[in-house]
Amino acid sequence: METATSPGVIAVPETPVPEHVAIIMDGNGRWAKRRGKPRTAGHREGVKSVRAVVEESVRRGIGTLTLFAFSSENWRRPPSEVNILMELFMSALRGEVRRLHQHDVRLRVIGERTAFPERLQQRIAEAEQLTADNNGLNLQVAANYGGRWDIIRAARQLVADVQAGVLDPASIDESALSERLSFPDLPEPDLFIRTGGEQRLSNFMLWQSAYSELFFSPVLWPDFDASAFAEALDFYAGRQRRFGRTGEQVEALSAVGRYGRG
């Protein structure tokens, strides 16, 4: 699709921008180890990368950014590291939420938050309430989140709705389950990024990422700056998203502005 131009001016094709980017922020511990520092130093340094990616997402007009901050499996880490992560989460909320609010960013935390300390749960609720009416970037932080947990929770809700007589079992389809997942009001991720060189999904947004473009970066998260993020976005812009169609079908549908998921 081309941009509108004045007579005599050559049209420049628009660069596709993902509506939703999801990121596994991996490599904090290795970054610290290479520098002879404790793993927690990497987590603290990684906050700067969060800020850089959020700012770049706002600048580029990305609608939703989801960051995997703490998985349901991360409780298996040493208690000292988990405690530091909880404190870092608290301090980040305290230090960043006003800045997010000033830039019209809406913050949401997805995951089983009841496992967190009560103080942290309260701070999350306050941050969400402060930014609830903002209309800019939707920033989701996945904390104590797991893709399988999300699907199981949705399945339990389906069972409860059937038992309550509000849902016919014969009507259960993909949409019915999707509507009961963590963010049914937002688009599924178009671009899935994992930093740190690992190439696996690690139980992150398993259902929602079925058609995501996958980008695995060797850059450790504390070094993942705006230029590294731009590389991932350039990769996305060069992809042809077919959703089961042929390339020829996609080109034909794009020409008439009717291309969508399916």
Side-chain angles (χ1 to χ4, degrees), residues 12 14 21 31 54-55 111 116 125 134 153 164 183 187 234 241 250 254 257:
V12 179
E14 295 178 356
V21 177
W31 182 92
V54 169
E55 291 176 353
F116 293 141
N134 292 343
R153 189 174 62 98
F183 50 94
D234 288 343
R241 311 198 69 209
V250 171
S254 296

Side-chain angles (χ1 to χ4, degrees), residues 112-186:
E112 182 50 76
R113 65 180 69 179
T114 58
F116 293 141
E118 189 172 334
R119 261 193 329 137
L120 179 53
Q121 292 184 51
Q122 182 178 353
R123 186 64 57 81
I124 290 171
E126 291 171 352
E128 289 179 329
Q129 183 177 5
L130 176 65
T131 63
D133 295 328
N134 292 343
N135 297 308
L137 174 70
N138 291 300
L139 174 60
Q140 294 192 128
V141 177
N144 196 26
Y145 174 90
R148 291 178 177 177
W149 164 84
D150 205 1
I151 295 169
I152 290 170
R153 189 174 62 98
R156 287 174 176 165
Q157 186 59 57
L158 286 172
V159 171
D161 290 343
V162 168
Q163 291 177 338
V166 298
L167 180 66
D168 181 357
S171 69
I172 295 176
D173 56 12
E174 290 186 13
S175 295
L177 192 143
S178 295
E179 290 167 0
R180 290 162 175 82
L181 292 172
S182 290
F183 50 94
D185 56 325
L186 297 175

Side-chain angles (χ1 to χ4, degrees), residues 23 26 63 92 97 99 134 148 151 155 159 222 227 230 247 253:
I23 305 179
D26 193 20
V97 69
R99 183 198 304 265
N134 292 343
R148 291 178 177 177
I151 295 169
V159 171
S227 62
L253 290 169

Side-chain angles (χ1 to χ4, degrees), residues 67-76 82 85-86 89 109-117 120-121 124 141-150 153 182 202-205:
L67 303 175
F68 203 9
F70 190 86
S71 77
S72 51
E73 288 78 27
N74 285 156
W75 294 107
R76 302 169 185 168
V82 171
L85 286 170
M86 294 299 105
F89 199 0
V109 175
I110 59 174
E112 182 50 76
R113 65 180 69 179
T114 58
F116 293 141
L120 179 53
Q121 292 184 51
I124 290 171
V141 177
N144 196 26
Y145 174 90
R148 291 178 177 177
W149 164 84
D150 205 1
R153 189 174 62 98
S182 290
S202 293
N203 196 23
F204 185 40
M205 301 172 83

Side-chain angles (χ1 to χ4, degrees), residues 88-97 107 120 123-124 127:
L88 185 58
F89 199 0
M90 283 283 291
S91 62
L93 283 173
R94 182 171 56 250
E96 298 294 328
V97 69
L107 177 66
L120 179 53
R123 186 64 57 81
I124 290 171

Side-chain angles (χ1 to χ4, degrees), residues 210-211 213 240-250 253 259-262:
Y211 279 100
E213 300 296 328
Q240 184 186 66
R241 311 198 69 209
R242 295 192 289 270
F243 302 103
R245 300 183 176 96
T246 66
E248 291 76 12
Q249 286 177 304
V250 171
L253 290 169
Y259 177 45
R261 295 175 183 253

Side-chain angles (χ1 to χ4, degrees), residues 26-32 34-35 49 195-197 217-225:
D26 193 20
N28 292 321
R30 282 171 286 153
W31 182 92
R34 291 178 184 178
R35 289 160 176 78
S49 296
T195 67
S217 171
V219 180
L220 302 178
W221 178 248
D223 293 327
F224 196 83
D225 55 14

